[in-house]
Amino acid sequence: MADEVTLLDFWASPFGMRVRIALAEKGVKYEYSEQDLRDKSALLLQMNPVYKKIPVLVHRGKPVCESLIIVQYIDDVWRDKAPLLPSDPYERAQSMFWADFIDKKIHDLSRKIWTTKGEELEAAKKGFFECLELLEGELGEKPYFGGQTLGYVDIAFLPFCCGFSTYETIGNFSIEAQCPKIIAWANRCLKKESVAKSLAEPGKVHELVLEIRKSLGFD
């Protein structure tokens, strides 16, 4: 089942990084196709005609879209190694809940940290830390959100860690000072090759964010 796998992606996309981690955890070999989001390829438009967005996993010519759905698909297809979602229905539902929480809260608030200023920025910072504290509570004393092994929620959250240093610089705060468990968890995950090789370099992410901020009239 590992044949004919292509990932349409953009290097800095946190959603694409999710898929990269999942594929690495499963040991799936694939072709990586970097996409220009300002000039979308015919292949991307063909494979995702509804949203016209990356990432798209193309497996045996058939596209699967939306990062969390792709991660579930990968877990279902390549079931013989590194399960990502729990088999227990309740635990599985909880994993999906927290991954959805990350999509709805962390993504939006982290983006607002580097695309707003003044009162809106302060509100985003407050909301961001409230979410991190909730995630710390969910993590508890476990090494990973998935328990003893890297799992679905870890994969959903990890890509945003690439921007932590950028958020801190722009927002003038320290995540480690307020949420040390989150930083310890991120550092633990980064020791895994599947994670380290799949995430973008924070310095490059920072440069990209500064370019976008400049185009938006900041700085």
Side-chain angles (χ1 to χ4, degrees):
M1 294 293 284
D3 60 322
E4 298 182 31
V5 179
T6 301
L7 176 61
L8 310 185
D9 200 0
F10 174 64
W11 70 270
S13 167
F15 306 107
M17 290 180 222
R18 289 171 171 174
V19 180
R20 284 174 247 162
I21 295 170
L23 290 168
E25 277 287 292
K26 296 288 189 174
V28 178
K29 294 180 180 180
Y30 63 97
E31 178 185 348
Y32 180 87
S33 177
E34 179 75 5
Q35 299 292 305
D36 183 347
L37 303 186
R38 291 169 296 186
D39 184 18
K40 297 179 180 180
S41 70
L43 180 61
L44 175 59
L45 297 177
Q46 176 190 349
M47 291 299 170
N48 190 357
V50 177
Y51 289 120
K52 304 177 177 61
K53 293 180 178 180
I54 53 90
V56 180
L57 186 78
V58 185
H59 182 214
R60 294 185 170 179
K62 296 179 179 180
V64 184
C65 305
E66 297 294 290
S67 63
L68 292 178
I69 294 172
I70 297 171
V71 172
Q72 291 178 46
Y73 177 84
I74 291 168
D75 199 36
D76 287 339
V77 173
W78 291 277
R79 302 180 68 174
D80 58 336
K81 182 181 178 183
L84 304 175
L85 275 158
S87 57
D88 178 80
Y90 178 77
E91 291 179 4
R92 189 180 181 92
Q94 289 302 299
S95 292
M96 290 178 173
F97 171 85
W98 285 107
D100 183 65
F101 172 83
I102 290 162
D103 258 8
K104 289 177 177 174
K105 293 290 188 177
I106 295 294
H107 174 239
D108 182 55
L109 290 166
S110 61
R111 187 173 179 84
K112 283 182 178 177
I113 288 171
W114 56 269
T115 58
T116 62
K117 55 186 177 181
E119 291 183 2
E120 195 173 356
L121 171 59
E122 292 305 311
K125 286 160 59 174
K126 181 176 182 292
F128 182 67
F129 277 105
E130 287 173 351
C131 290
L132 290 186
E133 287 167 3
L134 286 170
L135 285 164
E136 274 198 327
E138 171 60 17
L139 179 63
E141 301 304 319
K142 304 188 298 289
Y144 303 102
F145 286 96
Q148 296 303 309
T149 57
L150 192 83
Y152 188 68
V153 180
D154 301 287
I155 290 173
F157 188 20
L158 272 169
F160 294 100
C161 299
C162 299
F164 276 4
S165 59
T166 299
Y167 311 154
E168 290 177 323
T169 300
I170 294 171
N172 190 30
F173 56 72
S174 167
I175 295 173
E176 187 168 22
Q178 297 190 54
C179 298
K181 279 187 179 181
I182 293 295
I183 298 301
W185 160 81
N187 290 335
R188 186 179 306 119
C189 291
L190 280 166
K191 292 178 181 177
K192 293 180 67 67
E193 183 184 1
S194 60
V195 174
K197 73 178 186 180
S198 301
L199 297 184
E201 294 179 22
K204 290 184 177 180
V205 172
H206 185 72
E207 290 174 6
L208 178 63
V209 167
L210 292 183
E211 287 179 15
I212 297 172
R213 278 173 61 82
K214 188 175 181 179
S215 72
L216 294 173
F218 291 93
D219 304 331

